[in-house]
Amino acid sequence: MKLFYKKKIETREATIRKVYLFGRKIFSYKLNKFKKIAERCKNKCDIPAKMLEKLYKENDLKIMHQVGIVISDRAIIGKNCTIYQNVTLGRKGEYAPTIGDNVTIYANAVIIGNVHIGDNAIIGAGSVVLKDVPAGEIWAGNPAHFIKKI
């Protein structure tokens, strides 16, 4: 009976060791795959990261909540702008928006295409801007329309 008991323990330890080694192989495989994906992302995402650093330092860009913000690599953003969460500054073909100085863009706003936002303008929450916005005006709505002069 004692012999059987020893054999059972050895079998159990061998099984545990096999499971451990198998888990290590899977973990190593997943880790290598993750490293390759991270390297690809780093190579592709390097330019936008540098662009954002430049906007923060030189143009004093303020991003209030850093969730879901999409900024095209061709978008031009002026000085002292404030952008809230889920804002999209997107391209339409080769054209991207141009944002003036001291502009505030509130949550969930979408600005797409060859659109120029004038200095000191305010874009309301949830707006879809497809036309130029003159300086010193408040625009809101879907599609965005003039609300009032500042």
Side-chain angles (χ1 to χ4, degrees):
M1 191 73 165
K2 288 183 182 179
L3 254 173
F4 179 75
Y5 184 71
K6 280 186 178 178
K7 234 179 182 179
K8 190 174 182 182
I9 290 174
E10 288 175 10
T11 306
R12 183 173 175 219
E13 288 173 355
T15 305
I16 291 172
R17 180 165 170 72
K18 286 179 184 175
V19 168
Y20 170 76
L21 290 173
F22 182 69
R24 288 277 308 223
K25 284 181 181 178
I26 290 175
F27 178 75
S28 297
Y29 172 76
K30 293 286 186 183
L31 184 64
N32 288 337
K33 198 170 186 179
F34 177 73
K35 284 180 182 176
K36 287 177 185 176
I37 291 170
E39 191 64 34
R40 268 189 263 141
C41 181
K42 182 181 174 188
N43 291 341
K44 288 183 180 178
C45 300
D46 196 30
I47 293 169
K50 287 180 181 175
M51 181 185 78
L52 273 178
E53 284 178 24
K54 182 180 175 186
L55 286 172
Y56 281 133
K57 290 177 183 173
E58 293 178 11
N59 291 8
D60 196 28
L61 174 69
K62 293 176 217 65
I63 294 180
M64 301 313 263
H65 304 283
Q66 299 173 357
V67 178
I69 295 175
V70 178
I71 299 176
S72 169
D73 57 341
R74 293 190 183 179
I76 299 170
I77 300 176
K79 296 180 188 274
N80 301 322
C81 289
T82 304
I83 298 175
Y84 285 82
Q85 69 269 17
N86 296 322
V87 169
T88 300
L89 302 176
R91 261 174 32 180
K92 186 173 184 183
E94 294 182 14
Y95 303 106
T98 303
I99 311 297
D101 296 339
N102 302 314
V103 173
T104 302
I105 304 171
Y106 285 99
N108 299 319
V110 177
I111 303 171
I112 296 177
N114 191 17
V115 176
H116 299 280
I117 310 295
D119 296 344
N120 302 312
I122 296 174
I123 306 299
S127 300
V128 177
V129 181
L130 302 172
K131 294 190 251 177
D132 291 351
V133 175
E137 292 186 357
I138 299 173
W139 281 53
N142 182 4
H145 57 277
F146 172 75
I147 302 295
K148 74 175 191 176
K149 198 123 175 109
I150 299 175

